[in-house]
Amino acid sequence: MKAYSKPVIFRLTILSILLVIIGSGCSLTRGINKDQALVRKITIKGVDKEFADVAVNYVDKEQQPNNALNLQLYYTFSKKGKRDIGEAPAILDSNLVEYSRFQIEKYIQNRGYLKAKVTDSIAIKKQKAELIFNVQEGPMFRIRKFTDSIADHNLRALYNLHRNKMTHIQPGGRFDTDSLAHDRDEFYMLAKRDGFFDFYRQYINFTYDTTFNRSVVDVKMTVDNPPGKKNHIVYYVNNTVITIANSNGRTTGKVDTLRTDSQFTFVDYSKRFSPRVVTDFIFQKKNARYNIDLQTITTARLSELNVFRNVPNPTYQKINDSTDRLNSRIDIVPLKRMSDRVEGEVLFSGGRFGYNIGNTFTDRNLFKQAAILQLKANWSILFDNGNDVGTDHSIIQNQELRLGAQLTYPRLLLPFKFPLLGKFAVPHTTFSSNYSLFYQKDLVKRESFINSFSWDFSETTKKTHIITPINIEFSRGIIDPIARDTLLAKNRYSYIYLIGRTTFTTGSQYTFQVNAAKLNGYEDFTYFRSSLDLGGNLLNLVANLTNARKDTLGQRQLFGYTFSQYTKVELDLRLYRNFGNEKQFIIRFNPGIGIPYGNSTQLIFEKNFYTGGANDIRAWLPRTLGPGQFNRGAYYGSDSTTRNRLKYLDQFGEVKFVTNAEYRYKLADNFFGAKLKGAFFLDAGNVWRLHKQSDNPNGEFRLNNLWQSTAMGIGTGVRFDLSFFVFRLDAAFKFKDPQFSGSDQWVLFNHAGELFSRGSFKTNYRKTNGEEYNFMQLNFGIGMPF
């Protein structure tokens, strides 16, 4: 099989990206008439930068300056608007400029400058127009006095109880219509949470008096009663009808109707669900006050079950009696029960080519309990032609097959009663079983089995806990006999023990996450994830109590196998900062450490840390960086046989530290149906051995050598955002390579002329290491890197 013949795909991909970017530098006015002008700049003078930045948004959309790339895409592909690609040119229109002037003036006045005036002018040069808006603010008005008049005494008491926590209207503060709108919305939600089902924003009105010949305002809030009534009514929840349609949305044919209790009537046209699937997540209970928040939570939790396609807000009907009760109805359309998804990732680097293909089959409603069964298969393969480009003897360097089954229930399955923790998110109990088979050519075949169950629940809207009380792992390795003899001859006992042993362990894991729900947004926030993995302690206790036998290395065995003991901790801290217009800066810190102890002198092979790859330090392939300053070429010398056998396996560590900085920005709103986004990034870090090891000289973690042993990569990428998923292509370049020493580490500075050609540096590297040195790594994947 020929996996890779020429690196043409590298050049074609890069060339395509460069052509699109360079195209944005062509004439911006080439697609408009000679008597037209293109709006290219908006200037707002006379106000603070805070107001000016926002005021720009009040300029009419058709007069907003084009993104240069969007405009070039329009000129190139849209055929004068016949295709919806790119962004039509913002052609100067004096009527829209006047409308924009009026909107800016209104905005400034609403900020408390009630006498503000705005004038406009236009400057045109070479068919490019600048819109200039001059603002005369006048005096800023402040609130002198605030009073209220609330006719309903229950509403008045409710408002007085919460006013200090919710109001933005304060005497002495700036008079701002946004504050009035804020207080109106807060009062409205306050009433809707306390049973006032029929309460509307229109009942709340503000009047203000500015007739004091000074820059002050008296504000009065009035809350009226419904016409012809003495007060607003407090409503209570009564009965609820739940209707589940067929997956096509129809409610026809025979139907299962069940009265589950005094509140719920369950009507299931699909005949696929038990009532509890829905009733567990309806938080509006009978005889309780109507609460709009509980209505919203109900809709959100039912949607999160991932078994329903359409979950609208409940509808309410007043009962025609004097009890002030509400009957409610929820009409739900389920998703198709079965689905199948294919995913993939491709890696390119010189003569090396790899891909990762996965398939996930999902059954969304096992046992009629909205339990989700997922069957996963994943195959990863890496080819390596070395420098023999154009020949027919492609080599499969390594490959891995992963199979898994996961069953997830939308509740905590416990042997005792426990309150439903569904206020902030749907809790889950997950049972999983996974099998992995890893094959490294001419070296080893490793198998691992992992079985576990876990609980996850949300403490608040931001904090999530994942507890795995039982995790059972079994792994074994079979070393190629020739490889074993070679390693024995080189005294590589530790590698034989690491990759060839059979071991098992039982343990527990705990993960804590903050702000995971915000990862797809653009606000300022901090994401944090920490995980703790403890293994073998219970087995060690049993072994000591039973005085279990020891193997030749002095390690105790149970059931005929050595068991492992370790502690592993990993942290992931990310700071997200938003700069508007989908521009975002992210910095990430990802340290980790694994410590074997007790019955173990080494971590299980699969528990070690590795770096490199599409989501890590992107200038290196997975498993090809580190540990520390370990230099494979210098260590193996002329022993190319062992060097090639241990390729991708000898660069691991018990200590890891990775940091990433990435700036993301939008290039085009419409690029053949997708948003086109770009990114610049810097990745740094490495893995290290916990202690000094003869097999990995200069690979141990030392604070005084941290900088010298840190790798750095830089790069850029494009993302094709289709809303429901993102295609990503990143080009990363090695910047600082720790396998070298001193100034030689700055490979991109020292050898930039050899990025796409061969020189003395690459020639010497190939002689020493038996392979090409690749400055650039292309990563193609689905989803964001972090």
Side-chain angles (χ1 to χ4, degrees):
M1 182 168 105
K2 190 170 182 58
Y4 185 83
S5 60
K6 292 183 179 181
V8 175
I9 190 169
F10 294 174
R11 296 183 174 90
L12 288 177
T13 303
I14 297 170
L15 182 61
S16 299
I17 297 171
L18 290 176
L19 285 176
V20 171
I21 296 174
I22 292 170
S24 65
C26 298
S27 174
L28 298 178
T29 59
R30 62 189 175 95
I32 65 175
N33 299 330
K34 295 297 183 182
D35 60 344
Q36 294 176 323
L38 188 70
V39 177
R40 293 305 300 150
K41 186 177 181 181
I42 297 174
T43 302
I44 299 178
K45 301 178 179 179
V47 294
D48 294 338
K49 187 177 186 298
E50 173 192 358
F51 291 143
D53 289 344
V54 178
V56 170
N57 298 324
Y58 287 84
V59 175
D60 188 88
K61 183 179 180 181
E62 294 184 19
Q63 300 295 283
Q64 295 280 355
N66 295 101
N67 174 285
L69 181 57
N70 271 329
L71 188 57
Q72 296 297 346
L73 291 173
Y74 180 86
Y75 289 153
T76 304
F77 300 109
S78 285
K79 305 300 180 184
K80 295 184 178 181
K82 293 180 181 179
R83 297 177 186 170
D84 186 21
I85 299 172
E87 181 180 281
I91 298 173
L92 178 65
D93 184 328
S94 58
N95 291 325
L96 294 179
V97 174
E98 167 57 24
Y99 174 73
S100 301
R101 182 206 64 78
F102 173 76
Q103 290 294 102
I104 293 173
E105 184 175 270
K106 185 177 179 181
Y107 163 72
I108 298 297
Q109 290 172 351
N110 288 339
R111 300 285 73 74
Y113 298 93
L114 300 183
K115 297 181 179 181
K117 297 294 180 182
V118 177
T119 59
D120 63 80
S121 59
I122 302 170
I124 301 176
K125 184 178 181 180
K126 295 182 180 181
Q127 288 188 276
K128 296 179 181 179
E130 178 184 3
L131 308 185
I132 304 170
F133 298 94
N134 287 287
V135 181
Q136 294 180 338
E137 289 181 333
M140 182 178 72
F141 283 70
R142 295 188 178 276
I143 297 172
R144 188 184 74 157
K145 183 171 64 175
F146 174 75
T147 57
D148 61 72
S149 175
I150 305 174
D152 187 307
H153 67 278
N154 288 325
L155 276 175
R156 188 189 313 120
L158 182 66
Y159 175 73
N160 290 335
L161 181 63
H162 295 276
R163 181 187 184 282
N164 290 337
K165 292 184 293 185
M166 73 178 195
T167 187
H168 281 185
I169 304 173
Q170 298 291 347
R174 184 179 68 198
F175 176 72
D176 191 329
T177 55
D178 280 353
S179 295
L180 306 186
H182 171 271
D183 276 33
R184 177 183 284 114
D185 289 341
E186 287 292 308
F187 198 162
Y188 165 77
M189 291 300 297
L190 188 64
K192 299 290 271 190
R193 294 185 188 107
D194 205 53
F196 294 92
F197 173 77
D198 266 343
F199 190 81
Y200 301 102
R201 289 179 178 85
Q202 289 82 346
Y203 291 120
I204 308 170
N205 293 287
F206 291 95
T207 58
Y208 46 92
D209 185 359
T210 61
T211 59
F212 299 101
N213 294 321
R214 291 181 294 162
S215 303
V216 294
V217 182
D218 283 354
V219 179
K220 183 177 182 180
M221 180 182 71
T222 303
V223 182
D224 298 323
N225 282 332
K229 294 185 179 180
K230 296 181 178 180
N231 58 278
H232 291 266
I233 299 173
V234 174
Y235 286 90
Y236 295 82
V237 175
N238 192 45
N239 295 329
T240 303
V241 176
I242 304 161
T243 301
I244 299 181
N246 294 310
S247 58
N248 58 13
R250 297 177 181 176
T251 53
T252 58
K254 293 183 179 180
V255 63
D256 293 334
T257 302
L258 182 64
R259 181 78 176 182
T260 63
D261 57 24
S262 62
Q263 179 179 354
F264 299 110
T265 299
F266 185 75
V267 183
D268 185 7
Y269 287 91
S270 71
K271 300 180 181 179
R272 287 167 41 193
F273 298 90
S274 69
R276 185 183 175 188
V277 170
V278 181
T279 59
D280 274 359
F281 296 99
I282 296 179
F283 293 87
Q284 298 250 98
K285 300 302 183 182
K286 190 168 184 175
N287 299 323
R289 286 191 176 198
Y290 165 81
N291 185 328
I292 193 172
D293 282 352
L294 296 181
Q295 167 188 302
T296 302
I297 292 172
T298 294
T299 303
R301 295 299 88 81
L302 292 176
S303 298
E304 287 173 18
L305 289 173
N306 201 29
V307 295
F308 300 125
R309 183 176 67 197
N310 183 25
V311 185
N313 283 324
T315 58
Y316 296 90
Q317 183 179 14
K318 301 170 190 174
I319 298 177
N320 294 324
D321 58 24
S322 59
T323 58
D324 301 328
R325 292 178 297 163
L326 298 169
N327 285 333
S328 60
R329 180 183 182 92
I330 303 177
D331 297 307
I332 305 173
V333 179
L335 287 165
K336 290 184 178 181
R337 180 172 175 178
M338 310 290 185
S339 68
D340 197 71
R341 185 180 74 249
V342 178
E343 296 177 321
E345 181 178 86
V346 182
L347 304 172
F348 306 94
S349 185
R352 288 173 287 190
F353 167 86
Y355 58 78
N356 181 17
I357 299 175
N359 187 83
T360 301
F361 168 80
T362 302
D363 182 332
R364 291 190 176 87
N365 189 30
L366 208 62
F367 312 127
K368 292 188 173 184
Q369 296 290 322
I372 296 178
L373 173 66
Q374 287 190 325
L375 303 178
K376 298 182 179 182
N378 186 278
W379 181 38
S380 303
I381 187 167
L382 180 67
F383 302 92
D384 192 343
N385 279 358
N387 198 38
D388 299 319
V389 179
T391 64
D392 293 326
H393 51 277
S394 299
I395 299 172
I396 296 178
Q397 189 65 40
N398 61 59
Q399 54 186 319
E400 183 175 15
L401 174 67
R402 295 190 295 272
L403 303 173
Q406 180 174 291
L407 179 62
T408 303
Y409 281 86
R411 58 186 58 88
L412 299 183
L413 300 181
L414 295 165
F416 49 85
K417 286 187 177 181
F418 198 80
L420 178 70
L421 299 175
K423 183 177 180 181
F424 302 107
V426 174
H428 300 98
T429 299
T430 301
F431 301 88
S432 67
S433 182
N434 296 278
Y435 168 77
S436 173
L437 173 62
F438 176 82
Y439 168 76
Q440 171 73 43
K441 184 180 183 299
D442 296 329
L443 179 62
V444 70
K445 180 177 74 174
R446 285 193 59 83
E447 295 177 288
S448 67
F449 304 86
I450 303 175
N451 297 278
S452 66
F453 83 88
S454 61
W455 301 298
D456 67 79
F457 60 92
S458 294
E459 176 189 347
T460 67
T461 55
K462 298 180 179 180
K463 300 177 182 179
T464 301
H465 303 267
I466 304 172
I467 301 172
T468 303
I470 298 178
N471 184 73
I472 303 173
E473 299 185 35
F474 175 85
S475 64
R476 65 181 177 185
I478 301 174
I479 300 180
D480 180 271
I482 298 177
R484 177 183 286 273
D485 292 341
T486 301
L487 292 172
L488 285 173
K490 300 293 183 180
N491 296 321
R492 303 300 296 274
Y493 303 111
S494 62
Y495 270 100
I496 295 174
Y497 179 65
L498 175 70
I499 64 178
R501 65 174 170 161
T502 298
T503 186
F504 78 103
T505 189
T506 63
S508 301
Q509 299 167 354
Y510 170 69
T511 300
F512 174 64
Q513 280 190 115
V514 179
N515 282 332
K518 295 183 178 182
L519 288 176
N520 294 322
Y522 287 96
E523 60 183 294
D524 292 345
F525 68 95
T526 299
Y527 169 82
F528 176 72
R529 184 179 188 271
S530 62
S531 61
L532 173 65
D533 186 355
L534 301 173
N537 293 329
L538 180 61
L539 295 177
N540 187 61
L541 176 62
V542 173
N544 288 330
L545 291 176
T546 59
N547 196 26
R549 58 172 294 184
K550 296 181 179 180
D551 63 10
T552 56
L553 297 176
Q555 297 178 334
R556 293 192 182 276
Q557 295 181 322
L558 290 174
F559 314 112
Y561 298 108
T562 302
F563 62 89
S564 295
Q565 237 181 317
Y566 65 90
T567 296
K568 184 178 179 181
V569 178
E570 187 171 5
L571 305 178
D572 188 347
L573 174 65
R574 309 176 202 169
L575 307 178
Y576 289 77
R577 292 297 176 263
N578 176 42
F579 298 105
N581 196 30
E582 300 186 35
K583 294 192 290 288
Q584 193 178 41
F585 178 74
I586 306 101
I587 186 167
R588 175 192 188 209
F589 303 95
N590 180 208
I593 184 171
I595 303 174
Y597 59 90
N599 206 51
S600 298
T601 58
Q602 287 188 339
L603 290 176
I604 303 174
F605 178 75
E606 288 77 12
K607 293 292 182 181
N608 283 287
F609 293 108
Y610 303 88
T611 49
N615 301 318
D616 200 281
I617 300 181
R618 285 162 276 190
W620 277 263
L621 280 169
R623 298 176 180 259
T624 62
L625 175 60
Q629 288 190 267
F630 176 57
N631 186 310
R632 301 185 83 249
Y635 179 68
Y636 290 102
S638 61
D639 184 12
S640 59
T641 300
T642 306
R643 179 177 59 222
N644 290 330
R645 288 188 193 282
L646 293 179
K647 196 174 186 178
Y648 311 116
L649 281 183
D650 60 357
Q651 295 180 271
F652 65 91
E654 298 91 349
V655 180
K656 167 189 175 182
F657 185 82
V658 170
T659 184
N660 313 88
E662 182 163 303
Y663 177 70
R664 300 170 183 169
Y665 55 95
K666 183 172 65 176
L667 287 169
D669 285 312
N670 187 1
F671 184 74
F672 295 94
K675 281 189 177 181
L676 181 63
K677 299 180 179 180
F680 293 105
F681 54 83
L682 168 67
D683 305 324
N686 208 335
V687 292
W688 294 265
R689 300 304 305 270
L690 190 62
H691 305 291
K692 190 172 184 177
Q693 302 287 342
S694 60
D695 291 332
N696 295 123
N698 299 316
E700 71 274 12
F701 180 80
R702 290 181 286 122
L703 284 176
N704 61 3
N705 195 42
L706 183 61
W707 171 246
Q708 283 293 318
S709 58
T710 295
M712 295 177 66
I714 60 173
T716 185
V718 290
R719 289 90 165 89
F720 303 91
D721 188 349
L722 298 173
S723 297
F724 46 94
F725 62 87
V726 177
F727 287 113
R728 171 168 54 94
L729 177 64
D730 287 331
F733 299 86
K734 294 182 176 68
F735 188 68
K736 177 179 179 288
D737 193 335
Q739 68 175 306
F740 305 114
S741 299
S743 61
D744 291 338
Q745 292 187 339
W746 301 97
V747 290
L748 195 59
F749 281 144
N750 296 333
H751 310 291
E754 296 188 42
L755 276 178
F756 303 107
S757 63
R758 180 188 297 276
S760 60
F761 171 73
K762 283 187 175 180
T763 301
N764 292 333
Y765 187 87
R766 177 165 179 75
K767 287 181 180 179
T768 305
N769 290 269
E771 61 182 6
E772 286 290 337
Y773 188 88
N774 296 300
F775 285 95
M776 187 180 74
Q777 170 72 33
L778 282 180
N779 299 297
F780 173 76
I782 296 178
M784 302 302 283
F786 46 83

